[in-house]
Amino acid sequence: MLTRLDHTRLLRYAGLFTWALVGLPLLYTAQFPPEALDDSQPPSMAWQGWVAYAAFGVLYLWLTRTMGGRRTRLANYALLPVFLGAALAMSYYSLSGLGSILLMVAACVLPWLLPAGIGMLLLVASQLALAPIFVFGQQFGWPEAILQSMLYAGFSVFVFVTSLVARQQSQAREDQRRLNAELRATRALLAESARVNERTRISRELHDLLGHHLTALSLNLEVAGHLVEGAPREHINQAHTLARLLLTDVREAVSQLRGEFDIKAAPANAASGWPPSARTGLRGKSPNR
């Protein structure tokens, strides 16, 4: 079943599954109040944390709806700080490190929205921003909090690189589809050009051989019609008429064989049954190039 899904969908569903699992310990602490637990358990999360948690899931679905596309909408850049801020806010209001796991989910999205260098720096900075939560929320020392943040940052970088490789493979496949479409269009042009050349050759031979001979035959029959009288003249006139009709038919056949070949419309006609992305690539290229 999983092999039938596109790799971008697999990444999206995996991130959504991880986001849902993060909510399980939050639901557990909400079900059992802090006074019913020992001191090692984190306190229940305030309502602001639940809003941040839900906002992260909604933004994740929104930002990943076009994974694999060539262009990133400007609205996605505006929503990206809110997306990362929701993970930090959820960790702040829950006083736990669960926001680091959400940032790992965000690491799956960043390569599809930002350049690799900028996305990685933003991801590491977001993980380090959780260090104060480890200090004040879980009573870590600053060295331990920074090490904990760096540990999560390492996991996030691994997820980031994995998603980056998936994006590069997706773009490579898209480029390959576009090149295949252009190759098929070129083959169609060459085949059509060969057909036109063959039709031109046949029409030229018809014109040079039959056309000239029929013209000479018509002229001779016209002269013969003026030299004889009586019944033979009537037959000669009929033969002259047939020769002229045959010459007209030959000229029409030659004209049809020499029909105009629309070089500009050929790529569009050849790519009419291909995917939209391939046809877009063809439309962006001029036939004269």
Side-chain angles (χ1 to χ4, degrees):
M1 177 181 174
L2 294 179
T3 57
R4 299 179 181 178
L5 294 176
D6 183 73
H7 65 279
T8 55
R9 290 187 178 182
L10 285 175
L11 286 174
R12 189 187 191 201
Y13 295 153
L16 189 62
F17 178 73
T18 304
W19 170 81
L21 289 182
V22 169
L24 293 180
L26 299 176
L27 290 174
Y28 178 78
T29 55
Q31 185 71 25
F32 298 96
E35 57 271 12
L37 305 174
D38 55 39
D39 295 337
S40 63
Q41 298 293 335
S44 60
M45 186 169 60
W47 65 268
Q48 295 93 333
W50 287 106
V51 172
Y53 174 76
F56 183 91
V58 172
L59 290 175
Y60 176 82
L61 289 175
W62 177 264
L63 293 174
T64 57
R65 75 193 189 283
T66 57
M67 286 180 64
R70 284 286 182 174
R71 296 180 180 179
T72 302
R73 298 178 183 271
L74 294 178
N76 292 344
Y77 293 117
L79 293 175
L80 192 57
V82 183
F83 178 60
L84 297 176
L88 297 176
M90 194 275 293
S91 192
Y92 172 78
Y93 286 108
S94 65
L95 295 178
S96 66
L98 295 177
S100 298
I101 301 178
L102 292 185
L103 288 177
M104 294 182 193
V105 177
C108 180
V109 182
L110 292 179
W112 301 84
L113 303 177
L114 297 174
I118 298 176
M120 190 170 295
L121 288 177
L122 183 61
L123 182 63
V124 173
S126 300
Q127 289 285 7
L128 291 177
L130 292 174
I133 297 176
F134 294 131
V135 173
F136 299 105
Q138 298 184 352
Q139 307 302 319
F140 281 20
W142 278 105
E144 292 82 0
I146 294 176
L147 287 176
Q148 185 79 1
S149 298
M150 293 301 298
L151 178 63
Y152 282 118
F155 293 148
S156 298
V157 169
F158 176 77
V159 176
F160 182 92
V161 173
T162 302
S163 184
L164 179 62
V165 171
R167 180 193 176 189
Q168 292 174 347
Q169 291 180 348
S170 177
Q171 291 180 348
R173 278 193 289 269
E174 184 66 22
D175 292 337
Q176 185 178 8
R177 283 193 292 266
R178 179 178 56 81
L179 292 176
N180 288 338
E182 294 178 357
L183 177 60
R184 293 180 182 179
T186 303
R187 292 176 59 184
L189 285 174
L190 291 176
E192 185 65 21
S193 177
R195 287 193 294 267
V196 169
N197 290 335
E198 183 65 17
R199 291 164 61 183
T200 302
R201 184 187 63 82
I202 295 174
S203 65
R204 183 171 58 249
E205 291 181 357
L206 287 175
H207 181 270
D208 294 343
L209 298 177
L210 294 180
H212 292 170
H213 293 167
L214 288 174
T215 300
L217 176 61
S218 179
L219 292 176
N220 288 328
L221 289 174
E222 184 177 1
V223 172
H226 293 291
L227 297 179
V228 298
E229 298 291 342
R233 182 175 182 177
E234 181 179 353
H235 291 290
I236 291 175
N237 289 337
Q238 291 180 358
H240 181 225
T241 301
L242 292 175
R244 292 177 61 183
L245 291 175
L246 182 58
L247 180 60
T248 302
D249 293 339
V250 170
R251 287 176 177 173
E252 290 181 356
V254 170
S255 178
Q256 292 177 359
L257 287 174
R258 290 181 177 178
E260 182 180 0
F261 173 56
D262 190 359
I263 190 69
K264 294 181 179 180
N269 294 334
S272 59
W274 298 341
S277 58
R279 295 199 296 269
T280 302
L282 288 176
R283 286 195 296 267
K285 295 183 177 292
S286 171
N288 296 328
R289 293 182 182 177

